[in-house]
Amino acid sequence: MSTSAHTDSGTNTGGGPTRGTTPAPAPTSALNASRTAATAARVLRQLRHDPRTIALMILIPCVMLLLLRYVFDGNPRTFDSIGASLLGIFPLITMFLVTSIATLRERTSGTLERLLAMPLGKGDLIAGYALAFGILAIIQSALATGLAVWFLDLDVTGSPWLLLLVALLDALLGTALGLFVSAFAASEFQAVQFMPAVIFPQLLLCGLFTPRDTMHPVLEAISDVLPMSYAVDGMNEVLRHTDMTATFVRDVLIVAGCAVLVLGLGAATLRRRTA
């Protein structure tokens, strides 16, 4: 009546890993500085072999500012009134576009799946991408700010360093948004299609074309929850005030907080493969 208590050594009877096989490494949840730095270094090495992408990220905002300055060559005050705002908007747009496509390319090529099969958490991966693109964002923002202030004679009442701070945060926000929306795109074309949905409404409602308090109340309420509105407000604070104001500090904190929040959402929605 008794049954044999012996089982084959290769048979899994308890739901655990089969003897003789190597279980897949469990994904880690906590951020690890070395894994994050290694991911950032890998991304930068890849970008080094893609000069067109580097040119798009670093040079396009400068070219756009240069073009805008001489579009208003007969009326420099117009450039002074909108140049600071665009100094924050251009880096956001370019970083959004490049980051969303680059991350999607990693997933469609299978690189992302191989990375996530290693002891590498999603947070490490997102933080590594943010760090790598953040380094490029620093270069991009510094060049664009220096060009606008010292070469194109953008008339700024406050410190140019505060302009640089807002421009850098805007570029990081664009990076975070690009990482986030890449999870919902199945192709590079779809990633580009997210720009009208994510960027254009913010561009129209941020106060660049008309003060936000003169908009329809519904649109003004919507603009109050869009991060680009605070990016433009922060730039305008530097444009008009010699010292750092409480409004400027609020705007900077909101933009930075939105970037961190969107990075967290990007880690939560990161997928190995496209649908």
Side-chain angles (χ1 to χ4, degrees):
M1 298 293 294
S2 62
T3 58
S4 175
H6 298 287
T7 59
D8 183 78
S9 61
T11 305
N12 184 356
T13 60
T18 302
R19 187 181 302 174
T21 62
T22 302
T28 54
S29 56
L31 284 176
N32 180 280
S34 61
R35 292 193 296 262
T36 298
T39 301
R42 182 187 62 82
V43 174
L44 289 173
R45 284 195 299 270
Q46 289 181 329
L47 288 174
R48 185 180 61 184
H49 299 293
D50 191 355
R52 288 177 297 182
T53 298
I54 294 177
L56 176 63
M57 286 189 290
I58 294 178
L59 298 180
I60 289 299
C62 295
V63 172
M64 296 301 292
L65 284 170
L66 185 67
L67 178 63
L68 185 71
R69 168 62 182 84
Y70 291 106
V71 165
F72 296 108
D73 191 43
N75 189 6
R77 293 183 62 86
T78 303
F79 176 73
D80 291 336
S81 64
I82 65 173
S85 299
L86 293 175
L87 185 59
I89 292 173
F90 286 157
L92 190 155
I93 293 175
T94 55
M95 293 304 290
F96 170 85
L97 182 62
V98 171
T99 307
S100 59
I101 293 176
T103 309
L104 180 67
R105 190 176 298 165
E106 293 270 81
R107 197 168 70 244
T108 55
S109 65
T111 301
L112 189 59
E113 184 174 6
R114 292 192 296 271
L115 289 173
L116 291 178
M118 301 167 60
L120 181 70
K122 292 182 178 181
D124 297 319
L125 192 64
I126 290 294
Y129 274 95
L131 178 60
F133 285 107
I135 292 172
L136 293 173
I138 292 174
I139 300 173
Q140 177 197 71
S141 302
L143 287 176
T145 303
L147 174 70
V149 175
W150 289 294
F151 184 76
L152 301 180
D153 297 323
L154 178 66
D155 188 11
V156 179
T157 302
S159 170
W161 294 106
L162 296 181
L163 279 184
L164 176 60
L165 174 62
V166 181
L168 175 59
L169 290 175
D170 292 342
L172 293 176
L173 177 61
T175 298
L177 289 170
L179 289 170
F180 175 62
V181 302
S182 67
F184 304 99
S187 65
E188 294 182 12
F189 179 67
Q190 287 187 7
V192 174
Q193 286 180 313
F194 274 105
M195 180 173 287
V198 176
I199 299 298
F200 287 0
Q202 295 193 68
L203 187 63
L204 293 174
L205 299 177
C206 69
L208 177 65
F209 301 104
T210 185
R212 292 193 293 125
D213 55 8
T214 64
M215 298 178 184
H216 188 280
V218 173
L219 296 181
E220 183 182 0
I222 295 174
S223 73
D224 287 341
V225 299
L226 298 177
M228 191 183 290
S229 300
Y230 298 95
V232 171
D233 287 350
M235 287 294 193
N236 288 333
E237 286 294 305
V238 180
L239 196 66
R240 299 166 184 163
H241 301 280
T242 56
D243 299 321
M244 185 185 302
T245 64
T247 302
F248 174 83
V249 174
R250 179 208 65 182
D251 295 335
V252 165
L253 291 177
I254 289 175
V255 173
C258 287
V260 173
L261 175 62
V262 175
L263 282 176
L265 293 174
T269 57
L270 186 66
R271 296 181 291 116
R272 293 185 179 187
R273 295 182 179 181
T274 55

